[in-house]
Amino acid sequence: MSRIADLELLLRTAELGSLTAAAKALDLSPAGASAAIKRLEAQWGVALFVRSTRSLRLSAEGERLLPHFRQALEAIAAARELASGTRRGAVLQGELQMALPSDLGRNVLLPHLEAFQQRHPQLALRLHLSDRHADLMRAPVDLALRYGAPSDSAQVALPLLPNNRRLLVASPAYIARNGLPASAAELAQHEALRFMLRDELPKSWRLQIGGQWEDVPVQGRHSANDGELVKRWALAGIGIAYKSQLDVHAELRSGQLQHLHPDWLGEPSPLYLVVPGRRQLTPAARALRDWLLPRLEALQMAS
């Protein structure tokens, strides 16, 4: 019977395309990782990888066997979860490392995460706040809270707020000085506070106006790859921001920001809890999702 650790190394190597990177991610020595792959190949009687001096890829036999190895590991993980009694209320222990968007993490999620940790005192949370999307295969995180579904079909995305959208917002002071844009053409003349995802500067904002979707050109001198900074600029009256409803719910309720043209529909911005694969959908990750879901829904309904 194959060792579980060897199968985990095989899957990680296939995901990363590098035995060295997989060994580092699993805290193994290169020699130990190489020996594990050789051990698997000897046990199954096939070459699982095609190797060259510069690359490593699955062989045809490896491609056929990989889904079965993945299913076996998922079944073992499910059995472990049942055996541990977590579904019967066992104590959550260990460490959970999370990647969070900056604005959402600091200003919306932090009190709910603190309450979750108080409820599970033997579970340590490690928070990584950044608006750069963490590579869940390489970064030292167990899960990410992320706007938008992942493009990688191997990742598992649990919906938290599937109906969240982006809104046009500005401070009352900005509107008093500059007026309310009455059309898409007028919006293009205002100071747009632009958020750069993956360091790409958006040149338009997608809006549904009069039942039709439009890519409205925007311009402005203020742009950043940090969502919290964009909101601070909006609060300071510098310009108009295009923000997730969840990020600005508190400021909308307090009147610090105003929702411009509620009849203009912003593009969807669903919030997901994302893990690299089924094996990483641990009891702690499930418990966190179950904790956050009703609290975020309540915030959305109140805004």
Side-chain angles (χ1 to χ4, degrees), residues 1-10 72-73 76 80 279:
M1 180 177 179
S2 301
R3 299 180 183 180
I4 295 173
D6 291 355
L7 293 178
E8 290 175 340
L9 173 66
L10 170 66
L73 284 173
I76 291 169
R80 282 175 169 169
R279 288 179 294 132

Side-chain angles (χ1 to χ4, degrees), residues 29 56 131 173 239 256 278:
S29 69
L56 180 75
D131 284 320
Q256 293 175 281
R278 290 285 173 190

Side-chain angles (χ1 to χ4, degrees), residues 145-193:
L145 267 64
R146 184 172 294 170
Y147 288 119
S151 56
D152 187 344
S153 60
Q155 295 180 354
V156 177
L158 302 181
L160 287 171
L161 277 186
N163 298 320
N164 189 57
R165 287 186 176 275
R166 300 183 76 184
L167 311 175
L168 288 176
V169 296
S171 72
Y174 179 85
I175 297 170
R177 286 197 317 271
N178 300 279
L180 190 68
S183 65
E186 285 191 21
L187 176 60
Q189 303 307 312
H190 281 256
E191 176 71 13
L193 308 173

Side-chain angles (χ1 to χ4, degrees), residues 30-268:
S34 179
I37 295 299
K38 290 178 181 178
R39 188 162 52 239
L40 275 175
E41 291 179 327
Q43 289 171 343
W44 291 92
V46 294
L48 295 169
F49 290 97
V50 176
R51 301 168 178 82
S52 71
T53 55
R54 294 188 177 182
S55 66
L56 180 75
R57 63 177 176 82
L58 284 169
S59 66
E61 293 82 0
E63 291 278 5
R64 285 195 295 268
L65 288 171
L66 191 69
H68 300 284
F69 290 147
R70 183 177 287 113
Q71 289 174 9
L73 284 173
E74 289 174 356
I76 291 169
R80 282 175 169 169
E81 184 178 335
L82 283 172
S84 69
T86 52
R87 291 179 179 167
R88 298 189 297 273
V91 174
L92 297 180
Q93 299 179 346
E95 182 177 279
L96 190 63
Q97 300 208 53
M98 306 169 53
L100 309 170
S102 65
D103 195 0
L104 181 70
R106 289 187 179 91
N107 301 310
V108 179
L109 294 177
L110 195 58
H112 301 298
L113 294 175
E114 179 62 26
F116 177 77
Q117 194 160 22
Q118 289 178 2
R119 187 177 180 87
H120 303 284
Q122 297 187 45
L123 179 68
L125 297 184
R126 301 285 181 262
L127 308 183
H128 302 255
L129 274 69
S130 173
D131 284 320
R132 293 182 180 274
H133 279 184
D135 185 337
L136 296 183
M137 295 303 178
R138 293 179 170 85
V141 295
D142 303 304
L143 61 87
L145 267 64
R146 184 172 294 170
Y147 288 119
S151 56
D152 187 344
S153 60
Q155 295 180 354
V156 177
L158 302 181
L160 287 171
L161 277 186
N163 298 320
N164 189 57
R165 287 186 176 275
R166 300 183 76 184
L167 311 175
L168 288 176
V169 296
S171 72
Y174 179 85
I175 297 170
R177 286 197 317 271
N178 300 279
L180 190 68
S183 65
E186 285 191 21
L187 176 60
Q189 303 307 312
H190 281 256
E191 176 71 13
L193 308 173
R194 290 180 284 179
F195 170 66
M196 299 185 297
L197 182 61
R198 303 183 186 90
D199 294 327
E200 295 180 6
L201 181 65
K203 296 180 177 162
S204 63
W205 288 340
R206 189 159 180 76
L207 293 161
Q208 189 183 83
I209 303 175
Q212 300 293 322
W213 284 102
E214 299 183 36
D215 291 317
V216 180
V218 291
Q219 61 181 354
R221 295 175 299 129
H222 294 78
S223 58
N225 63 356
D226 184 287
E228 184 181 15
L229 180 54
V230 170
K231 185 168 72 176
R232 288 186 183 185
W233 284 334
L235 289 168
I238 293 174
I240 297 174
Y242 191 38
K243 290 283 292 178
S244 157
Q245 179 183 356
L246 185 58
D247 285 349
V248 295
H249 78 279
E251 291 77 15
L252 291 172
R253 284 208 313 268
S254 68
Q256 293 175 281
L257 292 175
Q258 293 184 13
H259 182 188
L260 311 186
H261 287 294
D263 54 322
W264 293 3
L265 194 64
E267 62 185 340

